[in-house]
Amino acid sequence: MSRIRDIVVAFVLIAHACVGPAVPDVLLTPEEISRTLAHGPWPPTAVPDPSNRVSGNAVAIALGKAMFQDPSLSRDGSMSCVSCHDPSRAFSEARPRAMGRIELNRNTPSLLNLRAHRWFGWAGNSDSLWAQSILPILNADELAKDANGIKKIMTTGPHASTYADLFGPSSGHAPEDVLVNVAKALAAYQETLTTGKTSFDRFRDALEQGDLAVASDYPESTQRGLRIFLGKGNCTFCHAGPAFTNGEFHDAGIPYFLQQGGADPGRHGGLDVLLESPFTLDGNYSDDPDRMGAWAVRNVRRKHTDFGTFRVPSLRGVSRTAPYMHNGSLPDLEAVVIHYSTIDMERLHADGEAILMPLDLSHQEIDDLVSFLLSLGDDRNPLK
Amino acid sequence: MPANRVATALCLLPILGGQVFACVTDPDAQRMTAETDGAPDVYVIAGMSAVSQPTDLEIVVCPGTAKEVSGLVVDAWMPSHQHGMNYDPEIEALGEGRYSVTNMVYHMPGLWQLTITLGPDAERAYYTLDMRIQ
C-alpha cells in the first residue's frame, strides 16, 4: 500500500509541475499528501459484524430503530435512547454531561460511524456495539430496565412478532438471551448511522487520482489547517486513519476529577467492567464461532496510566457533536483547538505519553485548523 | 584472471550473496540489531502494517551459537512518545528457530522500535529494529 501511495504522490507532483501557476495551489508537500491519503478512502465498505447474527438484517435494523425510540425500553416508560442520542444532533446532545435519571459524568457520545470501532463508550466498557447497547438499558441511572422486563415487552408488546421472526418466540428464551437479542437489533440499526463523503474526502480522492483541478477546490485556509493537523498539531497520532481515530485511549489533559468528589477512572475503570462482562467477543453470547475479534479482550494490557484516559472520538461529523471532550467541558471546536494550543502540561500524567505539548498557534492557525475540522462534517448526505 | 582480482571477487562474494549465506532467504527479512555481544542473528519478516490494525510477524533466530533459545519476548514501543503497545502479542514456536507472532498492534503512525528478548534468563540477549508505521 505504501508503494502505491508513493507512486500516486509522484504522479500528483509531476501533474502539479505541468499544470503551472495558473491553477490554484495544492499547498501540501509530498509527505503531507502521503499522510493525507491514509485518512481514506471513505466511506468504508460495510461488513456485517460476525458476532451479531442479525447485523445487516433489514428486519433487525427496523426493529432496532423502533426500539431506539421506544420508551418501553426504560423501567417507567419515561425515556428512550433518543432522550440522549438526539438524531438531529448527530445522535449526541447539546448538554455537556448526559442527563439520565441523574446527571451523569460524561458527555453523550455521538453514534455516528460506530461500525469500525474496536471499543465502545468513553472508557471502552464493551468490545462490541451490541454489548455496549446493553449497558444503558441496565444502568440504574439511565433506562434502568432489567432482563425480565425486556423479555416481557418482547413477549407481549407490539414488537413480539418481529422478535419471533428474527430470533424465535421470546417465551422460549431466557431473559438474558432476550436482552442480548434486543441489543443486537439495536446494534444492527446503529451500524447504519454513517456519514458520507465530505469536502475533505473529495480533496483526498482528487489527490489520489492526480486531479489537481478538483483538489484545488479545497480552500487554502482548510489546506493550511490540514497541514497543522498532520504536522505541528500532532493530531494525527491519535486521530488516525479514515475514521480519524485510532480507537484507543489517551490523556488529553482534561481534568478527570468529578464535581461531587472522586475521579473518573476512564479506561482503567472501563477495563474492570469489560473483563468482568459475560458479553464480550470471547463470551458465549457472541455469534462468531471463530471469535475473530476476541483477541483484543484476551490480550489487552492493563497499565496504571490507563487511569483518566478516554477513547479518542472520531472526528467525522465532529462539527455536529458539540460540546466536546469526555465531560463536554469544551463548548466548540475553537475551544478544543485553543485547549491543545495552550495545554497545561501539569494536567498530563507525569509518566504518560510524551506527545502533547502547547502548540502556541496563532489566531490564523486556530481558524485554519477549525476550518479543516469543519470540513470533516460537511457531507452533502449525512447519515447516508 | 589476475590472482588479486580473484581474491577480490572471493571477498565480495559473501557480501553480494549475503542472503544465500544467512539463515533466511526471504528478501523481506530484516536483520535486527543485537544489543548483546555474541548473540545469535535474529531476523524479522513483517507484513504490511496499518495503524491500529492487528498485524503479524515471523521471527527467525539463526542457529550456530552456544546459546540455547528457551524463551522469546516480543514487544514494541515508540521511543519519541514513551509508550508501548496496548495489547500483548501471541507467540507460537514453529520449530527450527522460527516463531510466529500475531496481533502486534501499532496504534499510532510514526517510528516504532520492535524489541525482542531471547532467554534463558541468565543469558538474555536483546534486539531492536526500527519500523515506520504509516
Side-chain angles (χ1 to χ4, degrees):
Chain A
M1 180 61 75
S2 64
R3 289 183 183 173
I4 295 173
R5 195 175 295 159
D6 290 343
I7 293 170
V8 168
V9 170
F11 177 78
V12 169
L13 291 175
I14 293 170
H16 194 188
C18 293
V19 168
V23 177
D25 268 338
V26 169
L27 304 179
L28 278 60
T29 66
E31 169 66 17
E32 289 167 339
I33 291 173
S34 177
R35 297 173 74 185
T36 297
L37 298 184
H39 287 287
W42 191 267
T45 302
V47 177
D49 174 4
S51 74
N52 178 358
R53 63 186 184 278
V54 297
S55 172
N57 180 303
V59 175
I61 292 168
L63 174 62
K65 184 176 182 179
M67 296 310 301
F68 193 84
Q69 302 165 15
D70 191 339
S72 71
L73 214 57
S74 61
R75 182 189 67 212
D76 54 4
S78 65
M79 56 194 316
S80 66
C81 305
V82 296
S83 300
C84 295
H85 294 285
D86 182 353
S88 69
R89 291 191 59 84
F91 295 85
S92 66
E93 65 176 333
R95 55 182 299 112
R97 290 159 55 189
M99 179 58 76
R101 292 177 188 279
I102 62 172
E103 187 178 41
L104 305 178
N105 293 328
R106 298 172 185 164
N107 177 252
T108 300
S110 169
L111 301 182
L112 298 178
N113 303 316
L114 293 181
R115 184 189 290 271
H117 287 239
R118 177 174 299 133
W119 304 110
F120 299 83
W122 281 108
N125 292 4
S126 309
D127 62 355
S128 72
L129 186 48
W130 55 265
Q132 182 65 17
S133 298
I134 293 173
L135 297 183
I137 295 174
L138 300 181
N139 189 341
D141 294 332
E142 297 183 71
L143 300 178
K145 199 80 167 180
D146 60 24
N148 288 319
I150 297 296
K151 177 173 177 175
K152 183 177 179 181
I153 61 177
M154 286 299 137
T155 304
T156 61
H159 308 295
S161 61
T162 305
Y163 179 95
D165 289 342
L166 285 168
F167 305 107
S170 63
S171 56
H173 297 162
E176 199 160 72
D177 290 339
V178 179
L179 170 66
V180 171
N181 289 336
V182 168
K184 287 180 176 176
L186 285 167
Y189 164 61
Q190 293 171 78
E191 287 173 346
T192 67
L193 305 177
T194 59
T195 58
K197 280 191 182 294
T198 65
S199 58
F200 164 78
D201 294 304
R202 288 187 289 277
F203 172 71
R204 181 238 169 241
D205 293 348
L207 288 177
E208 188 172 56
Q209 295 159 13
D211 189 342
L212 291 179
V214 171
S216 298
D217 286 342
Y218 201 50
E220 289 196 1
S221 65
T222 312
Q223 290 190 48
R224 292 195 301 267
L226 170 58
R227 299 185 74 191
I228 295 169
F229 188 88
L230 297 172
K232 66 186 286 188
N234 288 332
C235 314
T236 194
F237 286 124
C238 299
H239 291 286
F244 288 88
T245 173
N246 65 358
E248 296 293 332
F249 304 83
H250 298 282
D251 176 11
I254 298 293
Y256 46 77
F257 295 104
L258 303 172
Q259 289 179 347
Q260 62 270 33
D264 189 333
R267 179 54 166 167
H268 196 276
L271 284 171
D272 287 340
V273 173
L274 173 77
L275 297 175
E276 291 179 3
S277 171
F279 305 119
T280 70
L281 294 179
D282 200 27
N284 294 329
Y285 292 99
S286 169
D287 296 321
D288 181 12
D290 298 326
R291 300 284 192 267
M292 278 196 308
W295 66 269
V297 65
R298 289 174 186 156
N299 297 336
V300 65
R301 286 178 171 171
R302 302 210 64 168
K303 310 181 293 290
H304 71 275
T305 50
D306 288 331
F307 198 96
T309 63
F310 298 90
R311 188 171 60 82
V312 177
S314 169
L315 296 182
R316 294 244 169 219
V318 69
S319 57
R320 307 199 286 267
T321 63
Y324 302 104
M325 315 310 276
H326 75 275
N327 59 0
S329 58
L330 298 180
D332 52 42
L333 289 176
E334 182 178 351
V336 173
V337 173
I338 290 172
H339 164 75
Y340 286 110
S341 183
T342 59
I343 198 163
D344 183 357
M345 299 295 285
E346 294 295 320
R347 291 270 187 210
L348 299 173
H349 287 341
D351 60 347
E353 302 166 336
I355 300 172
L356 296 180
M357 63 185 71
L359 302 177
D360 294 327
L361 299 177
S362 67
H363 291 299
Q364 183 64 61
E365 288 175 321
I366 291 171
D367 288 346
D368 290 342
L369 186 48
V370 171
S371 175
F372 166 69
L373 294 173
L374 291 174
S375 79
L376 300 180
D378 62 3
D379 38 317
R380 292 168 182 163
N381 293 298
L383 305 181
K384 184 176 181 182
Chain B
M1 183 184 290
N4 60 341
R5 290 187 181 179
V6 171
T8 302
L10 287 173
C11 289
L12 287 174
L13 193 56
I15 298 171
L16 296 175
Q19 288 292 65
V20 176
F21 292 94
C23 70
V24 291
T25 55
D26 191 312
D28 294 328
Q30 300 177 76
R31 184 176 174 182
M32 298 194 74
T33 300
E35 306 290 340
T36 310
D37 292 337
D41 290 343
V42 173
Y43 289 82
V44 173
I45 304 166
M48 295 299 296
S49 301
V51 173
S52 269
Q53 297 303 313
T55 187
D56 302 340
L57 305 171
E58 184 174 339
I59 304 296
V60 182
V61 180
C62 291
T65 70
K67 295 183 188 295
E68 290 292 328
V69 178
S70 63
L72 180 75
V73 177
V74 180
D75 211 331
W77 72 309
M78 290 190 88
S80 62
H81 294 175
Q82 295 291 299
H83 68 76
M85 297 191 297
N86 291 335
Y87 306 90
D88 290 324
E90 296 175 16
I91 303 169
E92 178 186 358
L94 302 176
E96 298 183 330
R98 305 183 85 91
Y99 298 83
S100 168
V101 183
T102 56
N103 297 323
M104 298 286 292
V105 182
Y106 313 105
H107 59 275
M108 287 188 183
L111 187 65
W112 287 76
Q113 187 176 71
L114 180 69
T115 65
I116 285 177
T117 307
L118 291 183
D121 289 345
E123 297 180 349
R124 288 182 182 174
Y126 301 93
Y127 302 80
T128 60
L129 178 69
D130 290 345
M131 303 171 63
R132 183 160 292 278
I133 306 299
Q134 296 197 5

